[in-house]
Amino acid sequence: MAMAGQEATNRQIILKHYVKGMVKELDFELRVSKVLLSLHPGTKDVLVKNIYLSPDPYMRSRMQPMEDPYIDPFSPGEVITGYGVSKVLVSNHPEFKPNDYVVGFTGWEEYSVIKEARTLRKIPQIGLPLSYFLGVLGMPGLTAYAGFHKVALPKPGDQLMVSGAAGAVGQLVGQFGKLAGCYVVGAAGSKEKVKLLKERIGYDDAFNYREETDLKAALRRHLPKKIDIYWENVGGKMLEAVLENINKFGRIPACGMISQYNLEKPEGVSNLFRIVAKSVRMQGFLVFDYEDLYEEFTERVSGLLKDEKLVYFEDVSEGLEKAPRALIDLFEGKNIGKKIVKICDPD
Amino acid sequence: MAMAGQEATNRQIILKHYVKGMVKELDFELRVSKVLLSLHPGTKDVLVKNIYLSPDPYMRSRMQPMEDPYIDPFSPGEVITGYGVSKVLVSNHPEFKPNDYVVGFTGWEEYSVIKEARTLRKIPQIGLPLSYFLGVLGMPGLTAYAGFHKVALPKPGDQLMVSGAAGAVGQLVGQFGKLAGCYVVGAAGSKEKVKLLKERIGYDDAFNYREETDLKAALRRHLPKKIDIYWENVGGKMLEAVLENINKFGRIPACGMISQYNLEKPEGVSNLFRIVAKSVRMQGFLVFDYEDLYEEFTERVSGLLKDEKLVYFEDVSEGLEKAPRALIDLFEGKNIGKKIVKICDPD
């Protein structure tokens, strides 16, 4: 392993150009560069070795220029950035020291300098896998936790429908739903995912949306009491079908719309009047809006994991060079559980 | 005038058939029938003479069969019903007596029997015109009051954009906005309405959406600080343009979508991801959800009217036979202020 102070090769995943339509492997390139394993004095920077990377759907929106974006676009020719779990090699920051494991925004590369340790958090040693801090105990976990408890406002007996149910966020929302006393139905894109949802994750029911020609009828069949809460991960035709099956005072926490991210022209939703007719609250949110819940969330969710009241599934790709494919898998629905890219062993 | 106990002719507006696409005068017919000006004993019915009728946009949805409707459709061949102000002729109900003025659901006809006095309220004598109880002090008034205060949750300094701004509800929302310390911009469909909004109703700014080829650019021009609250009366392209101009944590109280009611295929809204990206809350509501606010609303709004802190504009069509045209005017944007049909003098 490379030692602090030496020069090392640094393999990096670069965004070649802005992306139009479906993202593909040719939109990325692997660059091999050199990195000095030391830091300039006088900064508060931290040099880390990256261990796990987190391909997440929101990253697609960073691959194109956008008016009034909620997060800055990537720069073509530069390394992709995203959440990762890393080990500190050199630290100029008082809060971090060598060999600390950290989670935060890092680069899709072997070694990264994190300017002023921005977004980094130290990972507590609580006997749970490091990669969990990119999922159930990280951004997707807080997304599910905050969105479900603070936006959906569940009541026992609510009929909860989750799209993208077998993904990083959806698997958790369904379980939070069961813990809150809801009847929980998931939509996912393969037989295998449906089986996982029903047999392992504890969904009351689930269906493969790709096998349905009439989503509205599918929802009616699986949710005969209709829908009180729709967890929106996908947008487009599923949202339209849900609006035809929603109960009075229905709630739609809008977490994402993954079916739309790679379309040059997003689909139109034409029955929004149902929002008026059924007094529906559709509420978008970003995980960044709920940073103040982080402590409560970590304590509660790590407790549930230790007590085996929450299960969590990961889908790990091995090797930095697999990262572009891993991200594309999300949009093709190939991941089962949270997609993770493992660059190296944690030691 | 007809006396209680006698038979009278009763002119009635009948829905001829279910309507597809744009509603037109030929979808209605005037029928002349007879009515006995007395009631069967043993009921709690009330016989009224109708004075003012209220054509309202929501009525369009009753003119066609609908799955899971929020209000029952009309029956072809039967008299249209809607809000009206009436005078009691004969009452079997202990709460009403002859010569009381009442407001509630009645028929588009000269005389109506109101079964069990359902939905009727007595109009208090507070020195304000009777017709106001179909507008500023009636259903549209409560819609504006409840939707603005309980759904929009305004803060001083909020940038408030109102569509359908010169209509029954919009004119009030703009004024509630000014009273709450908002900056208020209205969109309406004619030069005359824009002038009224700016010079008489107290909007800070207004524009004629029919003169704009690029609604997104128009909104940017009139709301350089973008939009915190969008009062949704119209739907379709205006909603799409607003979503491109909305601020973080924007709120969209969804009151109606009048631009869509006469379309066989409603327009699709394709940028709903903005709801996620900007943490927007879009919340539909119906006036029926807020009946418990009626007393507070009546007291507050009648006080504002008497103190001349609220203005209110009506657009009156004279004669029952004008009622179909008056309703169609709403969808063509021909009314300025609350549309009212006057059938006869109150005496």
Side-chain angles (χ1 to χ4, degrees), chain A residues 171-195:
Chain A
Q171 60 176 316
L172 301 176
V173 172
Q175 294 181 82
F176 293 148
K178 287 307 296 175
L179 290 169
C182 302
Y183 182 79
V184 184
V185 177
S190 74
K191 279 194 173 60
E192 201 183 345
K193 291 183 194 180
V194 167
K195 198 171 142 71

Side-chain angles (χ1 to χ4, degrees), chain B residues 7 14 37 59 84 99 253 330:
Chain B
E7 195 183 67
I14 307 296
L37 300 182
M59 297 173 76
N99 297 319
L330 299 178

Side-chain angles (χ1 to χ4, degrees), chain A residues 61 66-70 216 220 226 232 239 244-246 248-249 254-257 260-261 265-286 288-289, chain B residues 61 66-70 216 220 226 232 239 244-246 248-249 254-257 260-261 265-286 288-289:
Chain A
S61 74
M66 228 183 183
E67 216 180 296
D68 189 20
Y70 71 101
K216 184 175 155 186
R220 193 173 303 141
K226 300 198 174 172
E232 173 63 299
L239 175 57
E244 296 296 320
N245 281 282
I246 202 154
K248 177 89 182 165
F249 300 121
C255 175
M257 298 190 176
Q260 307 297 300
Y261 299 167
K265 195 179 152 29
E267 294 172 298
V269 172
S270 65
N271 59 351
L272 292 176
F273 182 71
R274 300 277 304 171
I275 289 180
V276 181
K278 291 289 168 181
S279 303
V280 167
R281 174 166 57 85
M282 177 168 185
Q283 189 166 342
F285 68 98
L286 299 175
F288 317 117
D289 306 338
Chain B
S61 74
M66 230 182 181
E67 218 181 295
D68 189 22
Y70 71 100
K216 184 175 157 188
R220 192 174 301 142
K226 299 200 176 169
E232 172 63 299
L239 174 57
E244 297 295 322
N245 281 282
I246 202 152
K248 178 88 180 163
F249 300 122
C255 176
M257 298 190 176
Q260 306 298 299
Y261 298 167
K265 197 178 150 31
E267 294 172 298
V269 172
S270 64
N271 59 348
L272 292 176
F273 182 71
R274 298 279 304 172
I275 288 179
V276 181
K278 290 291 167 180
S279 303
V280 168
R281 175 166 56 85
M282 177 167 185
Q283 188 166 343
F285 68 97
L286 299 174
F288 317 117
D289 306 338

